[in-house]
Amino acid sequence: MSAALGGAAARAWIDRWDAQQQSFLPDREERFTALIDAVQECAGRPDPLILDLGCGPGSLATRLLRRIPAASVVAIDADPLLLALGAAAWNGQQGSLRFADLDLRAPGWTAALGLDRHADAAVSTTALHWLPPDALAVMYAEVATVIRPGGLMLNGDHLTEDKEASPVLARLGRALNEREERRRDPIAESWEGWWQAVTADPALADEAAERARRTHGGEHHGSPSGRLSVHVAALRAAGFAEIGTIWQHGDNRLLCGVLGS
């Protein structure tokens, strides 16, 4: 981590991150709330162990710990700049929060976590669509090895209906999204604008250079992993016994998988 990056500066960058995310995803906080409600309902203990997959700078992880102070959260990402922001912003301030620099596509990444017990839940928001379908399936299978039976996999993301299997539903989903986007206020800061600004910060020069060096190789909007059916099939193959949407606004949904025994 760059020595010049202080906690206050990191939190300011994260505040800007949250603002641009919220502008693009107006239901972001509502989806966070639903996800945390689900964790609390099914954890079965006051001190659950939670894995945050594709954690970014820790926006979801810190909200989990505010609501469940006795929880332990392992926040996992492969983006060195976002991890540096999270570590600098929340070091010692958010209970049992640990950041792990790991690639979810790399076989055996769960072993590197050094867990001393099975996790009660794995969670993610607006992240896993970056993984190609084959990598997504392997990732879910790996997650299943470190979650207890009955534990949850909760993924909040825009997941669309398959246009071949459900053409009318897929078309309606796209149309409703487009109508809602036209009703929104102008976005104050774009995703691209935030990244241009943060990578120009001299205090984050090392992390920006490392980020540029690493190859992510994932896809974003339009990826096959943005389809609901891809996630459902991968979760089922990984051993999740019950799979369904437990919160939804258009194609913005919270998909839940319950691991079988």
Side-chain angles (χ1 to χ4, degrees), residues 10-22 189-190 193-198:
R11 286 189 292 275
W13 279 118
I14 293 174
D15 287 344
R16 281 180 64 174
W17 167 272
D18 283 338
Q20 62 91 4
Q21 290 278 295
Q22 184 70 27
E189 182 174 34
S190 68
W194 186 89
W195 277 109
Q196 288 172 4
V198 76

Side-chain angles (χ1 to χ4, degrees), residues 17 21 28 32 51-61 74-79 82-83 99-100 102-104 109 122-131 139 153 155-156:
W17 167 272
Q21 290 278 295
R28 183 173 183 251
F32 279 152
L51 308 181
D52 182 4
L53 311 177
C55 65
S59 299
L60 173 57
V74 183
I76 304 154
D77 209 297
D79 190 308
L82 294 178
L83 289 170
F99 287 93
L102 294 169
D103 189 338
L104 296 174
W109 61 268
V123 301
S124 186
T125 55
T126 323
L128 299 183
H129 61 260
W130 286 94
L131 298 174
M139 188 277 300
M153 174 68 231
N155 181 26

Side-chain angles (χ1 to χ4, degrees), residues 156-179:
D157 211 337
H158 285 270
L159 300 175
T160 63
E161 299 285 352
D162 192 309
K163 65 181 180 181
E164 283 76 28
S166 305
V168 176
L169 291 178
R171 180 179 62 80
L172 281 172
R174 288 194 305 272
L176 292 178
N177 280 343
E178 290 168 0
R179 287 170 180 263

Side-chain angles (χ1 to χ4, degrees), residues 25-40:
L25 301 167
D27 301 315
R28 183 173 183 251
E29 291 296 337
E30 184 180 341
R31 191 173 67 186
F32 279 152
T33 298
L35 185 153
I36 299 169
D37 283 345
V39 172
Q40 285 188 302

Side-chain angles (χ1 to χ4, degrees), residues 45-69:
R45 55 191 297 167
D47 59 343
L49 173 59
I50 306 162
L51 308 181
D52 182 4
L53 311 177
C55 65
S59 299
L60 173 57
T62 54
R63 284 162 175 78
L64 278 160
L65 286 165
R66 288 172 197 154
R67 286 268 305 274
I68 316 174

